[in-house]
């Protein structure tokens, strides 16, 4: 007899734009720890809706998976690629068009930035310019510009509870489901996939905290229950800015070239999380045994490329 798999799941969902850097790897390690610590499955999803469309190195995703393995992370089941899930996104759009409703939007970014928001709309909300166009106005605009598709979110504020950030409120406006170049939007795809994959625990960088009210709301509109959230602090460079490839040796490949192997990177990440002494060799199993989600650092961690090797 086989042991049944636990029903819940956590996930790591990289966009294959470039190799993972130590900030991405730290977030992946945390997502793995949160999932495994709570007895959940751990899934990996490649968010390639954009990269599959524009000219791009298809080997990046494979290198990302190899780097996760080198760090000692394992995952359950097949890796899902968003570029193969377009039918599921189309079905979700059809459902949302039934309720709460969708509408085409012809606004450019500039028009949105320059429009005056509705008096009670939360800050950052879409001003609603295309919400009440007549059929004739729509036809006239459609002749000039392809439309994006927006969901009727209704200009409300939704609160989520985050394991690290606590209570967080943000706007749910008429956000984009499908862009005017035909690509499904990140907020739609991520919610549809998390629902389809049984993801009930979202652990990711805190740059995405602001997206979570819209996503929680959309999850419920699609008949699901919102996941738990943990938005983890980012890794920053010496200047306190979000770490990027230009900050020097930040990927496993760069670091290996300087003699810093994946085991040493795992040790450094563990030390940054308070799960190891500086320089202590550790396995992911050691880290799992030591992991306490309530005792994580709440501030960004500064990666200093200079002392990497
Ligand atoms: N694909 C997104 C990124 O790489 C992460 C999406 C998510 O975790 O919800 O930033």
């Amino acid at each position: 007899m086989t042991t049944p798999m636990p029903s819940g799941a956590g996930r790591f969902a990289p966009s294959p734009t470039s190799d993972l850097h130590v900030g991405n790897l730290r977030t992946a390690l945390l997502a793995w720890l949160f999932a495994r610590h709570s007895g959940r499955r751990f899934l990996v999803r490649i968010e390639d809706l954009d990269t599959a469309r524009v000219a791009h190195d298809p080997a990046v995703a494979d290198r990302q998976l190899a780097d996760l393995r080198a760090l000692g992370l394992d995952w359950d089941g097949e890796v899902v690629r968003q570029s193969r899930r377009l039918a599921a996104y189309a079905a979700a759009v059809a459902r949302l068009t039934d309720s709460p409703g969708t509408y085409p939007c012809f606004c450019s970014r500039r028009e949105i930035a320059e429009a005056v928001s509705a008096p009670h709309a939360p800050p950052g909300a879409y001003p609603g310019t295309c919400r009440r166009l007549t059929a004739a106005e729509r036809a006239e605009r459609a002749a000039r510009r392809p439309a994006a598709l927006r969901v009727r979110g209704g200009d409300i504020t939704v609160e989520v509870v985050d394991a690290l950030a606590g209570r967080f409120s943000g706007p749910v406006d008429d956000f984009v489901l499908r862009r005017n170049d035909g690509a499904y939007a990140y907020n739609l795809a991520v919610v549809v996939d998390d629902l389809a994959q049984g993801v009930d625990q979202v652990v990711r960088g805190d740059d995405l905290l602001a997206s979570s009210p819209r996503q929680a709301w959309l999850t419920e509109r699609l008949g699901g229950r919102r996941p738990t959230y943990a938005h983890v602090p980012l890794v920053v460079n010496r200047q306190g800015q979000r770490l990027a490839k230009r900050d020097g040796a930040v990927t496993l490949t760069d670091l290996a070239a300087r003699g810093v192997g994946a085991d040493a990177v795992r040790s450094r990440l563990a030390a940054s999380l308070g799960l190891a002494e500086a320089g202590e060799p550790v396995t992911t199993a050691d880290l799992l045994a030591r992991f306490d989600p309530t005792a994580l650092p709440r501030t960004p961690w500064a990666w200093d490329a200079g002392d990497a090797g």
Side-chain angles (χ1 to χ4, degrees):
M1 240 175 75
T2 54
T3 321
M5 291 294 263
S7 59
R11 87 304 194 269
F12 180 62
S15 306
T17 44
S18 63
D19 289 352
L20 299 173
H21 60 54
V22 287
N24 309 129
L25 292 169
R26 189 171 185 259
T27 300
L29 175 61
L30 281 167
W32 183 90
L33 286 166
F34 267 95
R36 296 294 191 220
H37 177 79
S38 58
R40 286 177 166 85
R41 290 174 297 139
F42 181 66
L43 311 177
V44 174
R45 182 170 70 229
I46 300 292
E47 303 212 319
D48 59 351
L49 280 180
D50 265 333
T51 46
R53 294 160 46 84
V54 294
H56 195 266
D57 178 1
V60 172
D62 293 337
R63 288 206 298 273
Q64 291 182 327
L65 298 176
D67 285 350
L68 296 177
R69 276 190 213 101
L71 199 63
L73 306 185
D74 60 351
W75 53 88
D76 301 301
E78 296 284 308
V79 171
V80 165
R81 287 173 196 254
Q82 290 193 322
S83 54
R84 313 227 173 111
R85 304 246 324 125
L86 303 187
Y89 310 140
V93 164
R95 180 168 174 171
L96 294 165
T97 297
D98 277 349
S99 167
T102 59
Y103 61 88
C105 171
F106 305 92
C107 294
S108 64
R109 274 174 208 269
R110 181 152 162 221
E111 284 162 344
I112 294 173
E114 287 172 358
V116 178
S117 297
H120 302 293
Y126 173 65
T129 321
C130 290
R131 198 181 293 158
R132 282 177 222 89
L133 295 181
T134 63
E137 286 167 333
R138 269 188 194 148
E140 184 261 322
R141 284 169 175 72
R144 283 189 281 133
R145 205 183 142 80
L149 190 72
R150 290 183 182 272
V151 68
R152 290 185 186 271
D155 286 345
I156 53 172
T157 297
V158 165
E159 183 183 272
V160 297
V161 179
D162 185 90
L164 295 173
R167 292 173 181 278
F168 175 81
S169 293
V172 176
D173 57 351
D174 293 351
F175 57 94
V176 170
L177 299 177
R178 200 178 55 223
R179 301 186 329 212
N180 76 353
D181 63 0
Y184 290 102
Y186 157 68
N187 278 321
L188 176 79
V190 84
V191 166
V192 169
D193 289 341
D194 282 346
L195 275 171
Q197 296 186 275
V199 169
D200 62 350
Q201 180 191 59
V202 168
V203 178
R204 59 189 175 192
D206 64 10
D207 54 327
L208 290 171
L209 179 62
S211 301
S212 54
R214 289 183 177 94
Q215 292 175 10
W217 177 88
L218 192 59
T219 303
E220 288 164 1
R221 296 290 85 63
L222 289 171
R225 290 179 55 163
R226 51 171 88 176
T228 61
Y229 293 103
H231 287 89
V232 302
L234 294 179
V235 176
V236 295
N237 64 15
R238 251 189 276 200
Q239 288 74 43
Q241 298 148 340
R242 179 177 171 175
L243 195 72
K245 287 268 286 185
R246 64 177 171 277
D247 291 315
V250 291
T251 66
L252 288 189
T253 310
D254 302 335
L255 289 162
R258 292 187 176 205
V260 183
D263 292 344
V265 173
R266 185 188 317 110
S267 286
R268 291 195 53 162
L269 296 179
S272 82
L273 294 167
L275 296 173
E277 299 299 326
E280 181 189 353
V282 279
T283 63
T284 42
D286 297 331
L287 301 182
L288 189 53
R290 297 175 191 178
F291 184 62
D292 174 0
T294 64
L296 286 173
R298 307 289 168 113
T299 48
W301 176 56
W303 169 265
D304 189 346
D307 60 26

